[in-house]
Amino acid sequence: MTSKQVRPLDGAVRTAAGAVRPLSGIRITGGLLHDWQRRNSRATIPHTIEQLRAAGNVANLSRLLEDDPAPYRGRYPFLDTDLYKTLEGLAYELGDGDTSAREFFDEVVGLLERVQAGDGYLNSFFQDPEAAKKPWEDLAWGHELYNLGHLIQAAVAANRRMGDDRLLRVATRFADLAADRFGQSGVCGHPEVEMALVELYRETGERRYLTLAAAFVDRRGTGQMEHRIFPAEYFQDHVPLRELPSVTGHAVRMAYLAAGAADVFLETGDRSLFETLERLWDDMVATKLYVTGGLGSRHSDEAIGDRYELPSERAYTETCAAIGVMQWAWRMFLASGAAKYLDVFERVLYNAYAVGLSAEGTAFFYDNPLQRRPDHAQRSGSEDGGEPLRRAWFTCPCCPPNIVRWMAQLADYVAAERDGAVLITTYTQAEIRTAELDLAMETAYPWDGDVRIAVERAPEGPYGLVLRVPGWAGNVTVTVNGEPCRAPESGGWLTLHRTWSPGDEVRLTLPMPVRAHGSHPHLDATRGALSLARGPIVYCVEQHDSPQAPVDDLLVGAHDVVNAHTERRDEAVVLRLEADAAPPPSAELYPELPLHEALPETRVVATFVPYFLWGNRGPQAMRVWVRTPWTNGKKAS
Ligand SMILES: [Zn+2]
């Protein structure tokens, strides 16, 4: 296995062991993802910058340049990362020519250059002369390498996208210090730096960063991570990663660790590491992911929970965990070329991730439940999570700037390449430019499954255009220049291999009927209930849209799903259907079951909206899972 990294002409990174390579020459030009990106640059980024200034994240750095620094503001030692994540997002924006946040970018980079210590150390919490702890004194909770990780990711983005290496020089000095300090032992309580060090290796060719990332992956599991509240499992330190039976502990830490390990595999080709990740992934998808793609069912310790422990109203599913799962999914796809990882990527993108942000782009959920009970919806707010509505900011604001950087880089996930072929991984209106060919993709996906791909530039000989067939899609058709094409589908891909000419048009049709999903019988929380989906979008019903019956009384049967209508509401597709209203037969909490008596039911109309749009019209009850008389494909007697 070669360890040499090669930078192809288009600027994409060629990994040593990946089956597929990422592309960087992609622009999203229209549709939902484009709307999201525009909202990010026009609303979420200005809001985030304002909040970072108001909360003291910028002042935490600038005060260190004064003789008698003001106290550190904020409760946590990782608040610099919220600046780093924002800078990473800005690097994409500024690289694309949007210069509105240039001043903030330059200001923060300038501060970081000046605040960095002579030995390369950088952390505004620990550099405080009055800090309660010394640098590197508390690896379990200090988050210093987690900080470094986000600094590196921002620096690599700025270097790649903007050709601006100021931050890379800062990050490299800190990374060198860490490589000296942690060459033999030590690991951070919060994984993140593993992904970043592999990226820094790709960017600089300096192998010690890759070696350190691989060491960090394998150093966990000694049970030595100590914290007064959290057990070793919280830190994924109770068992070595390669021996973990299942994803566990703090959800964001777990997903970041797995994504970092996948990056290590991509450069080292360590098969046993990849086999571990495949095993953990398959188990997670089969037993621990919400239907929305959310990961982490427990508020307590922000933990993943046991297999099939997936309650709806207390679902934690932190927005950052959603981003972590997408990062892991994308790397597993790069490693294997397997489409199954993209099915999860897409499910998370349009549901567990997108729900974290309000429609106007300036308020956020930290935790993302799949149900709001009517009485909870009336609460004024609570610090234990589960506020009725999204908030402008948080004491621990990890999610908002994470949303920002991910929104800004969505174009990176639209397509990939391997020798002799380009693979379309996400359907959206986009321009795709590779060293071999230019494509223009037009579609109203995810609202519509019609995709047109025009070839604008093509290589001389035969070349592959490989189209992803989502796991939910059936009866897919494809034409080339209007002629039906019987391309064989294999493992979630349709491969068109031919000599292309400019002007050729490929048309892919992915039918999008309304689907009903049930639950595994061991998943007690949603057994006997159904959730609705169409294409990659998971739906929910809010009380506003069920005026004739409480959402908790709705009883949706198979025929109701078959007869559901789709309608446009604003830009989104909503589902309108008739259902039974079945109020509780008695007020008793545990009534004896009536064995013969039919429950009184009346017919009502309800509208289901995309789950990611819930909570934008005031506090109210909401459900993703609704009751159904139809279980295991049969109507219950
Ligand atoms: Zn978060």
Side-chain angles (χ1 to χ4, degrees):
M1 195 65 64
T2 173
S3 64
K4 197 158 160 274
Q5 48 94 238
V6 182
R7 300 292 302 278
L9 286 176
D10 67 357
V13 172
R14 185 180 289 257
T15 62
V20 180
R21 297 185 294 275
L23 284 167
S24 62
I26 303 169
R27 239 167 42 86
I28 295 174
T29 54
L32 181 66
L33 298 187
H34 187 252
D35 291 346
W36 284 1
Q37 290 202 315
R38 204 168 39 186
R39 178 182 62 187
N40 195 41
S41 64
R42 291 182 184 176
T44 315
I45 287 175
H47 173 84
T48 296
I49 290 173
E50 196 182 303
Q51 295 291 329
L52 287 168
R53 287 196 191 282
N57 298 59
V58 180
N60 278 342
L61 288 170
S62 59
R63 80 203 162 95
L64 293 173
L65 299 170
E66 292 157 15
D67 287 340
D68 185 14
Y72 181 86
R73 286 174 61 192
R75 198 189 293 171
Y76 301 103
F78 47 81
L79 297 176
D80 293 351
T81 60
D82 301 313
L83 292 171
Y84 298 147
K85 282 182 272 189
T86 306
L87 294 183
E88 184 185 343
L90 289 180
Y92 282 86
E93 295 290 321
L94 295 168
D96 277 351
D98 179 350
T99 58
S100 52
R102 178 93 225 181
E103 200 180 311
F104 179 81
F105 184 89
D106 287 339
E107 176 189 343
V108 177
V109 170
L111 281 173
L112 293 166
E113 285 176 314
R114 285 185 289 154
V115 168
Q116 184 167 37
D119 64 356
Y121 187 84
L122 183 53
N123 181 303
S124 72
F125 177 86
F126 288 97
Q127 280 176 272
D128 190 327
E130 301 294 316
K133 292 173 189 167
K134 298 270 173 289
W136 310 129
E137 191 181 278
D138 179 7
L139 291 180
W141 193 247
H143 288 80
E144 290 148 288
L145 293 168
Y146 169 81
N147 267 262
L148 169 62
H150 280 297
L151 169 63
I152 292 172
Q153 287 176 328
V156 169
N159 196 50
R160 277 191 198 151
R161 302 288 161 161
M162 302 165 65
D164 182 337
D165 71 348
R166 289 175 296 165
L167 213 45
L168 190 65
R169 279 186 269 132
V170 172
T172 306
R173 289 177 65 208
F174 194 5
D176 288 341
L177 176 74
D180 292 342
R181 170 71 176 70
F182 295 100
Q184 300 305 317
S185 65
V187 65
C188 184
H190 199 314
E192 152 66 24
V193 77
E194 296 80 1
M195 277 183 273
L197 284 168
V198 177
E199 280 289 73
L200 190 58
Y201 158 69
R202 290 175 183 142
E203 200 64 9
T204 62
E206 184 61 63
R207 197 166 175 86
R208 69 192 304 219
Y209 303 137
L210 174 61
T211 306
L212 186 60
F216 283 152
V217 166
D218 281 326
R219 270 180 207 162
R220 308 187 93 78
T222 61
Q224 289 170 351
M225 208 81 81
E226 284 178 20
H227 188 275
R228 64 191 163 81
I229 300 173
F230 304 117
E233 185 174 351
Y234 173 90
F235 301 100
Q236 291 81 36
D237 190 43
H238 61 309
V239 175
L241 176 69
R242 293 170 201 255
E243 294 166 28
L244 265 187
S246 183
V247 293
T248 191
H250 184 264
V252 180
R253 282 172 169 78
M254 182 71 239
Y256 280 24
L257 174 62
D263 266 331
V264 169
F265 164 76
L266 281 166
E267 299 303 338
T268 63
D270 178 343
R271 283 303 311 175
S272 85
L273 186 57
F274 184 68
E275 283 158 16
T276 296
L277 294 171
E278 275 185 308
R279 178 174 57 73
L280 291 173
W281 176 274
D282 289 343
D283 179 68
M284 174 182 76
V285 173
T287 68
K288 293 190 171 180
L289 270 194
Y290 279 91
V291 72
T292 55
L295 177 68
S297 53
R298 295 186 187 171
H299 282 243
S300 176
D301 293 0
E302 303 183 315
I304 290 172
D306 295 332
R307 292 190 177 104
Y308 307 112
E309 181 191 341
L310 296 165
S312 289
E313 74 271 57
R314 292 293 289 168
Y316 197 67
T317 68
E318 184 181 336
T319 308
C320 288
I323 292 167
V325 171
M326 284 189 282
Q327 288 175 324
W328 185 13
W330 182 254
R331 286 157 175 77
M332 295 299 277
F333 160 65
L334 293 180
S336 64
K340 67 176 182 179
Y341 300 110
L342 299 172
D343 282 340
V344 173
F345 181 100
E346 180 177 74
R347 179 152 41 125
V348 177
L349 175 66
Y350 289 114
N351 303 288
Y353 164 71
V355 73
L357 183 59
S358 66
E360 77 277 16
T362 53
F364 311 88
F365 277 136
Y366 190 109
D367 52 298
N368 297 286
L370 281 74
Q371 177 183 6
R372 265 289 176 260
R373 293 191 180 275
D375 45 346
H376 194 114
Q378 298 313 319
R379 279 203 209 169
S380 59
S382 80
E383 265 298 330
D384 70 345
E387 306 89 73
L389 294 175
R390 294 172 183 85
R391 281 204 217 171
W393 206 246
F394 304 92
T395 317
C396 174
C398 53
C399 301
N402 223 355
I403 290 177
V404 162
R405 68 172 180 144
W406 197 256
M407 259 334 155
Q409 62 186 265
L410 286 178
D412 286 359
Y413 308 105
V414 169
E417 67 175 356
R418 60 168 187 249
D419 288 343
V422 63
L423 297 82
I424 308 298
T425 52
T426 296
Y427 294 110
T428 182
Q429 198 159 312
E431 292 168 1
I432 300 166
R433 310 212 179 289
T434 79
E436 307 290 340
L437 82 173
D438 293 347
L439 302 171
M441 179 155 60
E442 267 193 53
T443 178
Y445 196 93
W447 309 124
D448 182 282
D450 233 7
V451 182
R452 275 187 283 184
I453 301 171
V455 176
E456 295 183 338
R457 183 174 58 86
E460 289 284 313
Y463 200 75
L465 178 57
V466 185
L467 306 175
R468 177 176 157 254
V469 179
W472 48 261
N475 300 320
V476 175
T477 57
V478 62
T479 63
V480 178
N481 298 329
E483 297 291 321
C485 180
R486 272 195 238 127
E489 184 195 331
S490 169
W493 298 105
L494 274 173
T495 301
L496 307 173
H497 193 77
R498 55 189 283 155
T499 300
W500 301 96
S501 308
D504 283 347
E505 185 184 79
V506 174
R507 190 162 179 175
L508 172 73
T509 307
L510 304 165
M512 283 189 178
V514 178
R515 307 190 307 278
H517 289 269
S519 305
H520 188 283
H522 296 175
L523 206 171
D524 300 74
T526 54
R527 187 173 52 221
L530 67 77
S531 66
L532 296 177
R534 181 175 175 274
I537 305 287
V538 173
Y539 283 77
C540 70
V541 59
E542 290 184 285
Q543 194 55 59
H544 276 318
D545 295 319
S546 176
Q548 295 157 290
V551 292
D552 292 345
D553 289 353
L554 293 177
L555 195 69
V556 177
H559 58 287
D560 302 330
V561 177
V562 170
N563 292 317
H565 295 284
T566 57
E567 282 177 15
R568 299 294 288 205
R569 181 191 282 175
D570 300 323
E571 296 299 308
V573 169
V574 301
L575 312 178
R576 195 167 166 79
L577 53 84
E578 270 192 39
D580 290 326
S586 92
E588 279 182 77
L589 196 50
Y590 305 109
E592 189 179 338
L593 287 175
L595 297 179
H596 304 294
E597 194 184 339
L599 299 177
E601 290 165 11
T602 49
R603 300 292 284 170
V604 294
V605 174
T607 302
F608 285 65
V609 299
Y611 167 67
F612 77 81
L613 285 173
W614 92 270
N616 282 292
R617 295 175 292 166
Q620 55 182 318
M622 177 280 290
R623 303 182 73 101
V624 167
W625 292 96
V626 292
R627 289 159 53 201
T628 180
W630 170 37
T631 52
N632 298 326
K634 291 181 193 150
K635 181 156 172 121
S637 57

